């Protein structure tokens, strides 16, 4: 499935959707394709239906093939399926899928979920997916080769402080190099000219015109 | 007018390439076709026979190891068996639904066994970007908790627009597809996030595309990357735009670009229709900007595998600026006819063996070491310094490399010829074990003792005359004094191999150790071989979420169209450019020097003097490499010298293009040290 070809039918709504920006906590303006979406959890899946890990992985792959499924997890050991999806009421114009359609999809894949073992909640894409991926938790601690955990604990603070100092020094140097009044860098943040080589004369004119025409038709 | 020179594929199959003779757009956009052959000819072909075994034969093949892989059709995770078939290491897998698949894994059994010894597990991320355990690998990416290697080289796609449309490329936005071009702020977020990885933050960044110079803010992007703390910044480019605008190269260098990671698929225009003509100007731009260049050939059997030695020779000719040639055996992702896949498949040892053949054995297969080989050195430095070092703990089958040193007399020596690397690494390994639990001062003594043994491993007789290798290495390892590498640095060139996987060769033991990672706009980080092998659930899916539909892009970017992005080249003008004439016309064949075996590197050629080339002449590909634009009217049908299909017999009997008509097939196999049979100086074998 090529996910990139369906966009020829762009509407005003699509435009609004892709232009929706969110300001993250560091003050950076970032585009958010989704905002409030849904997380559904199907528990207590029949062990006969989740055959083994390879089948669970393939089911996960098939769920992910759908554009409306943003993330999912098929957990063979816990007999659980978690799907984060773009539901029909979500305020965006990307592909959508309803809970019912998801259940039907899973049934087609041989997994018949129990409705009484299903829970669903709102999922904040920005906070729970995007922000986590950019600032993930530390879940373990490695140590340098040739050192024990205890040795590393003693050295760590000093090593990290030294690194930070080196980094800050480098940034300062860069700022001085690129700073105000450095004429060589005054246009760095401006878009550069496209340095394309173009055929001149009649051939170039025809090629350009033909290209524009094709784009308009699309 | 289009011209269809044909290329002999062996067994009578003929492959066609099409390109205009002069004004050309998207010269590289047509996938070559392979015609089916009748009978069982493929089963007799030594390269293809491994694909045509009976089940009974397959079951008798010795099993080397078992792994997990995916079904190329349905993506079920299935068992893979890695087995020996003659000299080849193969992988076979059977999906209950889609049947059995057989693919080449590694084209040299001995080398596989030798390299496997250096495999080790490195360290993953202490703060993985997704909270998944990885049991559904490769569909738990993001990076998950299971992943075993930190980010060695981070990749960030800054645009999917490209001025070319290479047939093997899945990256660039085709007509009607959305444009993925993150803003400077969004990109900066990705850079910072990669620097926050624990315990080993990424320090090398590859800014990639599409063609990254098409992002109008590329200079600012590089600055933000540098400010985030990246020391190594590579720009993955065709070099074409930089050649046309050398000032941009200077700006990029000033902003922080250290390396141009530049596609370069062959010395000849036939092998490298992508940027053969513009490379000389790109190299000049890099010289002007003082940026090192890594040439990156995508190696495809039957397309450019005959020019591997010639590409190394090209690098050596431009050693002032070319710091490495990094070959990438093609990754055949996606659907393609099986016969084409079998013919085009080449693996790391396959390319290494061709290099040995094509360079008179100057760069032999023993000179290559797998990437995790360097693990001993990393661990040694880390145990000594007490700080995390870069762990190149990727799977041994993913990459290999060697250093070549060019001495005053032009002698090319791989580092392994004068340094007993194996014993050296073993000594370091012993020292690491001894250092455990010792205070810093004692560690230093142990390290010094280990390094004192170093001269023992250096073969003084074979050591290049212009460098004292022992003292240089001691300064680097003991004092971390990289300045002492000055001479070595200017006279050496790294040759590397990196083989990315595809559905056919997929091995989960490889991907879970991948250290080339893509940062995505939603914060996830993906190993190269999931990003590219499963684009439908990773690369394309996520990039599409953050893309701008083509129509909106058109509305917000005046005068833009897909066509307006595309390159138009005037080949005649490019071929008469002084940079082109100098670069290709003054090339030295280092391998033809007596100190390097005295035989021409395969397909070595310099541009012929236009005056002696008849206006219409059939010339062999070796000469096409650099010959002025001439119309090739005679199809190259077969190989008269039996060299394996490298060169075709010409009806004019003159393959070297000198015009004397004395003949020669140009395979290089039988050429005398003196050069050639017709005496033109370009090397034909006269068969
Ligand atoms: S490839 Fe790595 S990140 Fe992806 S699922 Fe496997 S272990 Fe996890
Ligand atoms: S991104 Fe690279 S490989 Fe792809 S079309 Fe552009 S130049 Fe070719």
């Amino acid at each position: 499935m090529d996910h990139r070809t369906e966009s020829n039918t762009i509407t005003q709504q699509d435009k609004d959707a892709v232009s929706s920006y969110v300001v993250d906590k560091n003050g950076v303006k970032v585009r958010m394709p989704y905002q409030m979406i849904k997380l559904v959890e199907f528990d207590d899946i029949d062990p006969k239906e989740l055959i083994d890990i390879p089948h669970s992985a393939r089911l996960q792959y098939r769920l992910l093939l759908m554009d409306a499924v943003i993330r999912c997890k098929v957990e063979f050991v816990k007999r659980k399926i978690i799907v984060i999806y773009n539901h029909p009421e979500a305020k965006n114009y990307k592909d959508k899928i309803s809970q019912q359609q998801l259940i039907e999809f899973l049934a087609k894949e041989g997994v018949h979920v129990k409705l009484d073992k299903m829970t669903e909640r709102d999922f904040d894409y920005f906070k729970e997916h995007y922000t986590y991926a950019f600032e993930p938790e530390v879940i373990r601690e490695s140590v340098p080769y040739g050192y024990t955990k205890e040795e590393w604990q003693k050295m760590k603070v000093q090593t990290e402080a030294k690194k930070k100092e080196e980094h800050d020094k480098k940034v300062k140097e860069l700022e001085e190099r690129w700073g105000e009044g450095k004429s060589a860098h005054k246009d760095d943040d401006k878009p550069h000219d496209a340095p394309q080589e173009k055929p001149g004369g009649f051939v170039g004119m025809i090629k350009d015109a033909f290209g524009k025409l094709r784009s308009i038709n699309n | 007018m289009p011209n269809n020179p044909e290329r002999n594929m062996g067994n009578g199959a003929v492959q066609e390439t099409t390109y205009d003779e002069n004004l050309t757009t998207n010269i590289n956009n047509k996938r070559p076709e392979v015609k089916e052959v009748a009978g069982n000819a493929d089963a007799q072909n030594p390269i293809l026979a491994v694909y045509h075994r009976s089940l009974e034969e397959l079951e008798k093949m010795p099993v080397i190891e078992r792994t997990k892989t995916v079904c190329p059709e349905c993506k079920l995770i299935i068992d893979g068996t890695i087995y020996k078939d003659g000299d080849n290491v193969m992988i076979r897998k059977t999906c209950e639904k889609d049947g059995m698949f057989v693919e080449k894994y590694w084209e040299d059994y001995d080398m596989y066994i030798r390299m496997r010894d250096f495999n080790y597990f490195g360290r993953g991320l202490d703060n993985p970007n997704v909270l998944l355990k990885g049991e559904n690998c490769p569909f738990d990416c993001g990076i998950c908790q299971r992943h075993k290697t930190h980010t060695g080289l981070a990749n960030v796609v800054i645009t999917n627009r490209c001025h070319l449309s290479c047939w093997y490329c899945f990256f660039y936005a085709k007509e009607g597809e959305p444009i993925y071009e993150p803003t400077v702020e969004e990109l900066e977020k990705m850079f910072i996030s990669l620097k926050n990885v624990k315990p080993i933050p990424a320090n090398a960044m590859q800014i990639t595309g599409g063609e990254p110079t098409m992002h109008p803010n590329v200079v600012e992007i590089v600055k933000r990357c540098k400010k985030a703390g990246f020391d190594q910044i590579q720009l993955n480019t065709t070099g074409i735009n930089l050649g046309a605008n050398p000032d941009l190269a200077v700006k990029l260098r000033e902003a922080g670009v250290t390396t141009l990671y530049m596609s370069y698929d062959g010395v000849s225009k036939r092998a490298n229709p992508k940027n053969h003509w513009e490379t000389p100007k790109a190299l000049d731009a890099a010289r002007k900007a003082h940026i090192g260049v890594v040439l990156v050939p995508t190696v495809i059997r039957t397309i450019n595998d005959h020019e591997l030695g010639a590409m190394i020779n090209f690098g050596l000719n431009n050693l002032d600026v070319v710091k490495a040639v990094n070959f990438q055996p093609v990754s055949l992702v996606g659907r393609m006819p099986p016969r084409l896949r079998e013919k085009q498949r080449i693996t790391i040892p396959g390319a290494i063996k061709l290099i040995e053949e094509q360079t008179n054995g100057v760069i032999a297969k023993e000179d290559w070491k797998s990437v995790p080989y360097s693990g001993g050195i990393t661990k040694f430095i880390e145990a000594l310094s007490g700080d995390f070092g870069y762990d190149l703990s990727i799977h041994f089958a993913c990459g290999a490399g060697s250093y070549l040193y060019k001495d005053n007399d032009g002698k090319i020596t791989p580092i392994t010829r004068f340094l007993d690397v194996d014993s050296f690494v073993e000594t370091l390994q012993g020292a690491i074990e001894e250092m455990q639990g010792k205070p810093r001062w004692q560690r230093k003594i142990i390290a010094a003792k280990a390094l004192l043994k170093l001269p023992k491993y250096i073969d003084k007789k074979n050591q290049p005359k212009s460098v004292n290798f022992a003292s240089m290495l001691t300064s680097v390892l003991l004092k971390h004094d990289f300045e002492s590498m000055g001479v070595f640095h200017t006279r050496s060139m790294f040759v590397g191999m990196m083989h990315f996987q595809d559905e056919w060769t997929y091995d989960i033991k490889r991907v879970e150790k991948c250290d080339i990672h893509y940062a995505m706009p939603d914060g996830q980080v993906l190993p190269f071989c999931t990003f590219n092998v499963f684009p439908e659930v990773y690369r394309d899916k996520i990039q599409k979420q953050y893309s701008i539909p083509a129509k909106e892009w058109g509305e917000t970017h005046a005068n833009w169209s897909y066509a307006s992005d595309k390159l138009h080249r005037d080949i005649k003008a490019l071929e008469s450019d002084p940079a082109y004439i100098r670069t290709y016309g003054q090339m030295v064949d280092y391998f033809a020097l007596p100190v390097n075996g005295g035989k021409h590197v395969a397909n070595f050629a310099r541009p012929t003097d236009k005056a002696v080339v008849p206006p219409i002449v059939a010339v062999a590909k070796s000469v096409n490499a650099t010959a002025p634009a001439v119309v090739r009217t005679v199809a190259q049908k077969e190989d008269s010298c039996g060299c394996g299909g490298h060169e075709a017999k010409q009806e004019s009997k003159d393959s070297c293009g000198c015009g004397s008509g004395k003949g020669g097939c140009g395979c290089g196999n039988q050429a005398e040290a003196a050069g050639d049979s017709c005496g033109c100086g370009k090397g034909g074998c006269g068969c």
Side-chain angles (χ1 to χ4, degrees):
Chain A
M1 188 186 344
D2 187 342
H3 296 268
R4 298 178 300 177
T5 48
E6 302 143 26
S7 60
N8 289 337
T9 50
I10 174 79
T11 61
Q12 182 58 41
Q13 292 173 323
D14 285 316
K15 279 202 258 173
D16 296 344
V18 289
S19 312
S20 57
Y21 283 89
V22 163
V23 176
D24 79 359
K25 71 172 185 231
N26 301 317
V28 181
K29 209 172 142 203
V30 284
R31 268 175 299 163
M32 265 323 104
Y34 309 100
Q35 286 165 9
M36 204 54 85
I37 47 178
K38 293 273 183 213
L39 181 150
V40 63
E41 202 169 319
F42 304 106
D43 230 324
D44 196 21
I45 308 280
D46 186 338
K48 285 199 255 26
E49 295 186 339
L50 274 190
I51 302 164
D52 53 16
I53 289 181
H55 282 87
S56 304
R58 182 172 58 181
L59 179 57
Q60 187 166 317
Y61 168 79
R62 293 203 174 152
L63 280 161
L64 284 171
L65 274 178
M66 293 186 278
D67 276 354
V69 171
I70 288 121
R71 282 207 70 87
C72 68
K73 174 76 196 151
V74 180
E75 292 197 44
F76 170 72
V77 180
K78 292 188 185 158
R79 294 193 283 128
K80 188 193 277 193
I81 299 173
I82 303 168
V83 184
I84 297 164
Y85 69 103
N86 195 24
H87 65 109
E89 286 79 46
K91 286 200 189 95
N92 63 60
Y93 298 93
K94 304 262 175 204
D95 277 14
K96 300 203 166 140
I97 189 167
S98 66
Q99 189 197 75
Q100 188 52 36
Q101 285 168 316
L102 261 180
I103 293 170
E104 281 163 18
F105 174 84
L106 288 171
K108 257 201 262 153
E109 294 290 323
V111 176
H112 299 87
V113 298
K114 298 171 187 145
L115 293 181
D116 57 333
K117 299 283 178 187
M118 178 186 82
T119 48
E120 186 170 77
R121 67 170 175 87
D122 284 345
F123 182 88
D124 186 331
Y125 176 87
F126 176 65
K127 282 195 192 137
E128 296 181 73
H129 172 75
Y130 184 94
T131 307
Y132 186 88
F134 274 109
E135 291 160 38
E137 259 174 62
V138 176
I139 57 160
R140 59 186 161 216
E141 183 160 29
S142 307
V143 298
Y145 289 120
Y147 292 87
T148 60
K149 253 197 174 118
E150 294 69 40
E151 282 173 314
W152 173 238
Q153 283 308 325
K154 281 184 221 147
M155 296 151 56
K156 194 175 142 186
V157 180
Q158 214 185 338
T159 313
E160 282 176 358
K162 197 173 141 213
K163 271 195 196 157
K164 187 171 178 318
E165 196 185 310
E166 279 169 10
H167 175 73
D168 292 347
K169 199 174 141 209
K170 262 195 222 164
V171 172
K172 212 169 144 225
E173 279 168 14
L174 289 173
E175 274 166 357
E176 274 167 22
R177 207 161 98 205
W178 298 330
E180 291 287 309
K182 300 282 190 311
S183 58
H185 297 286
K186 72 175 183 340
D187 294 330
D188 284 0
D189 55 350
K190 306 232 166 63
H192 68 79
D193 294 335
Q196 298 284 354
E197 294 204 28
K198 300 271 181 193
F202 187 66
V203 178
M205 207 178 75
I206 295 292
K207 288 206 172 200
D208 272 1
F210 183 64
K212 273 185 202 133
L213 200 66
R214 281 181 69 179
S215 296
I216 291 164
N217 287 339
N218 279 310
Chain B
M1 202 178 67
N3 175 32
N4 300 324
E6 293 176 328
R7 175 147 159 67
N8 193 315
M9 309 270 295
N11 291 342
V14 156
Q15 167 198 317
E16 294 179 0
T17 50
T18 306
Y19 53 82
D20 289 357
E21 274 308 316
N22 191 37
L23 201 60
T24 317
T25 311
N26 290 334
I27 203 164
N28 201 21
N29 66 351
K30 191 170 184 290
R31 186 197 278 273
E33 282 165 15
V34 173
K35 289 179 187 152
E36 289 302 323
V37 288
N40 69 343
D42 284 352
Q44 311 298 329
N45 182 323
I47 297 195
L48 301 177
V50 289
Y51 292 105
H52 299 269
R53 307 276 186 227
S54 66
L55 193 58
E56 212 178 21
E57 284 173 315
L58 280 179
E59 274 163 5
K60 281 191 201 132
M61 305 278 177
V63 172
I64 305 172
E65 55 193 288
R66 302 203 188 268
T67 188
K68 292 276 180 206
T69 175
V70 291
C71 167
E73 296 292 335
C74 73
K75 309 292 171 355
L76 181 68
I77 296 171
I78 46 181
D79 292 332
T81 304
I82 297 174
Y83 64 97
K84 181 176 184 295
D85 183 343
D87 198 19
N88 285 292
V89 174
M90 305 287 294
I91 183 165
R92 70 165 186 261
K93 42 190 164 181
T94 306
C95 171
E96 272 180 28
K97 186 171 134 279
D98 298 303
M100 189 167 77
F101 304 91
V102 169
E103 188 49 275
K104 279 183 190 165
Y105 188 97
W106 187 263
E107 288 163 287
D108 190 296
Y109 174 74
D110 293 340
M111 211 174 171
Y112 179 93
I113 298 296
R114 191 158 49 86
M115 296 223 174
R116 192 172 61 168
D117 280 350
F118 291 90
N119 218 20
Y120 75 101
F121 287 115
R123 293 157 294 193
L125 273 53
D126 286 351
N127 53 346
N129 308 70
V130 294
L131 275 175
L132 294 175
K133 293 209 173 67
E135 66 263 38
N136 290 348
C137 176
F139 303 120
D140 269 1
C141 285
I143 290 277
C144 81
Q145 299 174 28
R146 164 178 169 165
H147 201 81
K148 296 190 170 57
T149 307
H150 69 88
T151 307
L153 177 66
N155 280 250
V156 170
V157 177
I158 67 168
T159 180
N160 66 349
R161 291 188 298 130
C162 186
H163 50 187
L164 300 182
S165 316
C166 302
W167 59 267
Y168 49 78
C169 177
F170 299 90
F171 266 69
Y172 70 94
K174 292 159 197 86
E175 192 90 32
E177 290 178 357
I179 303 297
Y180 173 73
E181 205 160 286
T183 63
V184 176
E185 287 71 28
E186 287 167 339
L187 290 163
E188 187 174 35
K189 252 185 100 76
M190 295 183 222
F191 300 148
I192 294 171
S193 154
L194 288 161
K195 281 309 282 188
N196 285 337
V197 166
K198 288 180 184 6
I200 307 164
N203 196 29
M205 165 65 66
Q206 187 165 109
I207 292 180
T208 184
E211 167 54 43
T213 56
M214 298 192 70
H215 196 302
N217 300 106
V218 63
V219 178
E220 183 61 20
I221 291 165
V222 172
K223 280 171 90 173
R224 303 276 179 112
C225 181
K226 184 80 188 168
K227 244 172 119 173
F230 283 88
D231 287 328
Q232 289 290 322
I233 304 179
Q234 309 178 349
L235 196 73
N236 185 357
T237 173
T238 61
I240 295 172
N241 283 349
L242 299 177
N245 183 357
D247 288 344
L248 179 60
V250 174
K251 278 190 166 238
L252 286 165
R253 168 68 197 158
E254 268 294 296
V257 169
T258 47
T259 310
L260 296 185
Y261 198 75
M262 203 174 98
S263 320
Y264 191 68
D265 293 342
V267 180
S268 71
K269 49 187 138 184
R270 172 83 56 83
N272 181 21
K274 190 170 179 172
N275 62 355
H276 163 86
W277 295 272
E278 295 86 355
T279 294
K281 283 174 139 191
L283 293 182
D284 278 359
R287 282 187 181 99
K288 184 177 171 196
H290 301 286
I291 307 182
V293 174
V294 176
L295 299 176
V296 191
T298 300
V299 184
I300 309 177
R301 207 182 270 285
T302 69
I303 302 280
N304 63 352
D305 55 330
H306 53 293
E307 287 193 16
L308 308 185
M311 287 187 258
I312 292 175
N313 188 53
F314 182 82
L316 291 167
N317 271 272
N318 294 283
L319 200 52
D320 60 322
V321 65
V322 173
K323 295 296 151 211
V325 183
N326 201 9
F327 295 97
Q328 295 185 346
V330 68
S331 149
L332 299 163
V333 174
R335 284 174 197 275
M336 66 191 289
R339 189 157 190 275
L340 183 60
R341 176 169 49 81
E342 292 162 11
K343 284 200 164 255
Q344 294 190 337
R345 169 74 66 206
I346 186 161
T347 66
I348 287 176
I352 285 176
K353 285 194 237 178
L354 287 175
I355 288 175
E356 178 165 351
E357 267 170 52
Q358 292 170 15
T359 63
N360 309 330
V362 170
I363 310 163
K365 107 181 171 184
E366 291 71 27
D367 295 317
W368 297 79
K369 302 286 170 198
S370 73
V371 173
Y373 203 90
S374 62
I377 303 173
T378 317
K379 289 181 186 173
F380 179 82
I381 296 180
E382 201 167 302
L384 185 60
S385 69
D387 193 6
F388 289 102
Y390 243 48
D391 224 348
L392 298 179
S393 56
I394 60 169
H395 191 274
F396 68 96
C398 290
S402 187
Y403 271 98
L404 307 180
Y405 190 88
K406 187 171 99 181
D407 215 341
N408 291 338
D409 55 358
K411 184 172 163 59
I412 308 300
T413 316
I415 190 173
T416 42
R417 301 293 172 95
F418 57 90
L419 175 67
D420 178 355
V421 190
D422 294 6
S423 310
F424 174 57
V425 170
E426 239 168 69
T427 303
L428 296 185
Q429 196 67 50
I432 301 162
E433 279 153 31
E434 220 187 313
M435 281 187 223
Q436 299 235 9
K438 306 267 168 35
R440 188 70 65 90
W441 65 271
Q442 268 189 31
R443 286 171 186 260
K444 283 201 169 160
I445 294 174
I446 297 165
K449 270 203 233 155
L451 291 176
L452 279 176
K453 291 184 193 154
L454 187 60
K456 214 171 71 185
Y457 306 128
I458 292 174
D459 178 350
K460 300 246 166 46
K461 245 190 9 256
N462 287 323
Q463 175 175 247
K465 296 176 196 80
S466 49
V467 67
N468 183 340
F469 201 73
S471 81
M472 184 199 83
L473 217 55
T474 310
S475 310
V476 169
L477 290 173
L478 219 48
K479 301 185 217 147
H480 304 170
D481 167 19
F482 291 92
E483 296 284 303
S484 55
M485 288 187 75
V487 183
F488 184 79
H489 192 69
T490 52
R491 286 168 178 266
S492 66
M493 188 174 87
F494 176 76
V495 278
M497 294 269 168
M498 201 74 210
H499 192 182
F500 299 114
Q501 305 187 69
D502 48 48
E503 302 94 314
W504 317 94
T505 54
Y506 216 73
D507 181 351
I508 288 175
K509 285 187 186 163
R510 282 181 64 186
V511 74
E512 68 178 356
K513 298 183 85 194
C514 175
D515 79 340
I516 305 185
H517 298 164
Y518 278 86
M520 302 305 289
D522 67 347
Q524 294 191 67
V525 176
L526 303 171
F528 190 103
C529 287
T530 58
F531 177 84
N532 283 313
V533 180
F534 308 107
E536 62 279 21
V537 295
Y538 293 123
R539 184 190 70 207
D540 294 352
K541 177 171 171 138
I542 301 170
Q543 286 187 358
K544 187 188 168 195
Q545 291 168 359
Y546 287 80
S547 290
I548 310 271
K551 276 209 169 172
E552 189 192 345
W553 189 266
E555 281 167 23
T556 50
H557 295 77
N559 300 326
W560 175 84
S561 68
Y562 286 94
S564 69
D565 271 350
K566 295 297 169 192
L567 172 77
H568 300 280
R569 41 161 74 105
D570 183 341
I571 291 176
K572 279 191 187 130
L574 286 165
E575 285 180 357
S576 44
D577 190 275
Y580 182 91
I581 294 167
R582 173 172 34 82
T583 306
Y584 289 116
Q586 294 171 8
M587 247 193 316
V588 173
D589 182 355
Y590 284 101
F591 298 94
L593 297 175
V595 281
N596 294 321
K599 222 170 91 179
H600 277 295
V601 70
N603 291 290
F604 176 72
R606 284 183 288 245
T608 49
D609 180 351
K610 277 184 185 177
V612 296
V613 180
I616 295 182
V617 67
V619 284
K621 182 172 40 50
S622 59
V623 179
N624 290 349
T626 48
V630 286
V631 183
R632 286 162 221 92
T633 51
V634 181
Q636 300 165 14
K637 287 291 179 221
E638 58 182 44
D639 177 353
S640 62
C641 66
C643 70
H646 283 158
E647 290 306 330
K649 183 181 180 181
Q650 300 301 312
E651 287 178 15
S652 70
K653 300 274 186 288
D654 179 358
S655 65
C656 61
C658 70
S660 74
K662 289 182 195 150
C665 73
C667 69
N669 284 352
Q670 298 151 43
E672 295 298 328
D676 50 25
S677 58
C678 65
C680 69
K682 295 184 189 77
C685 68
C687 63

